[in-house]
Each structure stands twice: as structure tokens, then as C-alpha cells.
Amino acid sequence: QVQLVESGGGLVQAGGSLRVSCAASGLTFSRAAMGWFRQAPGKEREFVAAIRWSGDSTYYADSVKGRFTISRDNAKNTVYLQMNSLKPEDTAVYYCAADYTEVIFSTPNRWNYWGQGTQVTVSS
């Protein structure tokens, strides 16, 4: 079955950087769109970034545009989220998502496969 395993979360000071990774198995990674979502305590899960299967198009939430970069390595079946200039409001559990789709959706319920999440905490 499909497995998505996130790693790389942790505690970082405001203004710092962190890179989270998501290793995928059980799916044809090179044909799957990949996304990152996050969920803070008491809030709904929200879209952060996504990348098409080909890697030629990326999408970002306005709140992270210019600070976060999503990328993928199809040879390693891994997608990355480089997070720079982190703010306390970026604190959340970050989830990796995958789906076979040409259209990128920002709503979580349009994505079929999910990882277990990794905690990112940004201290002020």
C-alpha cells in the first residue's frame, strides 16, 4: 500500500530554516502530484505547497510564498519542503500528501494519500 513518511521536523528559532522530507513508497511516484499541508492546534488543516508530477509547476499558499520552496527527486521517491525565514505562526504538524492528478487542489479532501505528519515548532 501507499506509504508516505515525513522527516526533518523539529524546533527552530524565528528567522531560521528547516527542511522537511517525505519518502514515498507503494505508488508510482513519478506520476503523482505531491503536496504539503499543515495543521496547528485548534485549526483546520491548510494547504502549504504542491508540485505536479513532472516538477514543472509549483503552487504555494500566500502565507509562505517567497519563504518556502517545494521540490522533488523522482529518483529517490522523495519530496522536500525547504522553509526559510520561519515565523512562530508556521508552527504546526506538517503533512505530506499525494495523488494521481493533473489538477492541484488546495483542499485536503481532494488528496487521497497522507503521511503521519512531522512537528515543526518555531520559537519567538
Side-chain angles (χ1 to χ4, degrees):
Q1 72 262 22
V2 176
Q3 280 196 316
L4 303 176
V5 180
E6 301 96 335
S7 61
L11 174 64
V12 64
Q13 287 190 329
S17 298
L18 205 60
R19 188 177 81 161
V20 291
S21 304
C22 171
S25 61
L27 77 167
T28 306
F29 184 81
S30 61
R31 306 301 296 178
M34 301 298 297
W36 286 97
F37 289 75
R38 67 186 181 187
Q39 189 166 17
K43 295 189 176 182
E44 294 186 351
R45 192 168 298 190
E46 65 174 4
F47 173 78
V48 175
I51 186 167
R52 290 186 69 240
W53 63 269
S54 59
D56 61 349
S57 296
T58 56
Y59 308 83
Y60 297 95
D62 288 343
S63 58
V64 306
K65 206 170 291 183
R67 300 188 298 122
F68 291 11
T69 302
I70 188 171
S71 62
R72 64 190 297 156
D73 185 337
N74 286 353
K76 295 183 178 180
N77 284 9
T78 300
V79 63
Y80 306 97
L81 184 68
Q82 177 67 43
M83 303 181 288
N84 298 330
S85 302
L86 282 161
K87 305 174 181 180
E89 51 263 44
D90 294 318
T91 295
V93 177
Y94 282 72
Y95 294 92
C96 175
D99 204 354
Y100 297 113
T101 177
E102 291 287 342
V103 179
I104 299 297
F105 295 100
S106 61
T107 49
N109 62 8
R110 299 302 296 264
W111 294 76
N112 279 316
Y113 306 109
W114 291 89
Q116 81 289 348
T118 186
Q119 177 70 47
V120 171
T121 303
V122 184
S123 64
S124 57

